[in-house]
Amino acid sequence: MLAPILLLALLPAAVQTPSDEDFKVYTEAPRLFLNARRLRLLRRERERDSMRWQHYQTLMEGKALMPEPGLANALYFMIKSDPAYAKAAVEWALGTGADLRQQAIVFDWCAKAVPAAQRDALASRLEKSIAQSAGKTDIKTMSARVLAAAALAERKPDLTENTMRTAVVDWWRGYVVPSIQKGEPVIHRDDVLPLFEFLHAVRDNTNIELRDPVPAFFHDLPSYLLLSYYPAPYPAPENEYRIPVFYEDGDPDLHRAALARAGEFVMVAYDNNAVESQFLQGWLMQDRYLMKSPLGAVYEMLWANPYQPGLSYFHLPLAFRDEKRKGGALALRSNWDETAVLFTYIEGKAQVFDNGARKTADLKKLDPPLHIADAAVTSRLSFEADSQAYFILGLTPGAPYEVEVDDEGMFEELADAGGVLLLKLQPGAGQVRIHPPTGLGPTR
C-alpha cells in the first residue's frame, strides 16, 4: 500500500485537467532538447570518438558551409565547450536572415557564453519575432514560437506562459486535434520534425503530454512513415538515402530526405519505450544510411542513440490504411526487400514504384488489378477474385456499397474517408460485383 504522503504527491498528476495546467516554465537552460541524459550521451560519443562525432567534427573543424549554421555551431559548443563556437552561433543568429527556430536554440544553448550585450540583443530579437509571427498558424511557425518562448522563460515569464498557452490551448487543442479527429490532413510527412520539436518543447518544460487526445494518430504514424519510403535506396556521394514518396518531376530532394530521417530520430527520442518507436529505431540504425552531409550530420549527432535497442521492421505489416484521413492514406509493399513493389495512394494521388522507377497511377485505369503480395488494388467494380484482400479506389467517401460475391452472397461495405473500400475474400471466391448506391453511377 502506498504511504499517505506518496499518495498525496501522486494525486495532482492523476486528476489534472486542462483547467489545472500551468504553462509557466520553471526549467533551467538548456530547455530545448538537451536534457542532462542526452547531453551526457553526446559528450560520451565525443569521448569514444564515434563515427557520428568524427563526421560532425570534420565538418565543423574544417569550416564546412553548414546549411543551418546556428544549430551546427551551438551544438558543437554544447558538446565541446569551446566558446568560439558559441560566439559564432550568436553572431550568426544576430545577422540577416536567421530564422526564429535556430535563434531560439542558439539563445537557449549559448547565451550565457557570450557578452551581455549580445545576449540582450538576441533576446530582443526573439521577443520581437514572437510578436511578428502571431498571425501565422503553420506548424513550423508555431513550433518555432514555442521554442523561442521556452528559451525566454527566465527573462520573459509572462510572454513564455502566454505563448505556450496559446499554442497548446488555441492552436493544438482548438485546431490541430479536432482536424486530426475529423480526418483532415493537417499534418503532413514533412511536418514530422517541427511537430516533434514542438511536442518536446512543451512536454520537457511544462510536463504536458499533447498526444493523449489522438493516440491512434501517433500510434500509426511510424508505420505510415516506413511504408511511404521508396524501397530502393538512393546513392549520393556522402551516403545512401531513403527517399520519401514524392509526386514532383525530377530527382529526389535530398534535403527533404535528410529532414525526414531527422524527424524520425526526434520521434524515437520522444517515446523510446513505445513498440512502434522501437521498430522505427530498427529502421534508422543502419550505418549505410548514417548522414554525413553538412545538413544531416548535425541531426545524426544530436538525435541518434546507438544505445537504444530497436526491433526489426521486417515484422511490420506490409499494408497501411488510414480509414479516417480525407483524400486517402494507403500504402502497400510487396516485401521489405529493396526490390519490392510499392503502391501509395496519399491525399488523392496514386503512384507505383517498381524496378527502380516510379509511375503515376491513374485511378480510372487500374485494370487489371495491381497485385502486391497477398493484396490487390483496383478501381474496377467487377472482377474475378484471386487475392485475399482487394483495395477498391476512387469511390465516394463514406458511401455504402453492396458487394456481391459468387460464393458468399451479398453484403454491404462502406468506403472510407479517402474513397477506399477494403474487401477481405476467401481464395478463389469467384466473381465480385460492387454496386454503388443509387445515383452514384453504373458499375465499372
Side-chain angles (χ1 to χ4, degrees), residues 229-249:
Y229 276 104
Y230 295 115
Y234 187 88
E238 65 274 13
N239 54 262
E240 292 184 275
Y241 287 88
R242 288 191 172 104
I243 304 299
V245 168
F246 67 102
Y247 297 94
E248 299 78 18
D249 294 333

Side-chain angles (χ1 to χ4, degrees), residues 25 27 31 107 111-112 114-127 148-160:
V25 171
T27 52
R31 299 180 179 93
F107 183 83
K112 294 181 179 179
V114 298
Q118 287 185 311
R119 192 159 57 240
D120 294 343
L122 186 50
S124 178
R125 289 192 66 169
L126 291 178
E127 185 177 356
L152 289 173
E154 188 174 341
R155 285 175 168 252
K156 298 288 181 178
D158 291 342
L159 174 63
T160 297

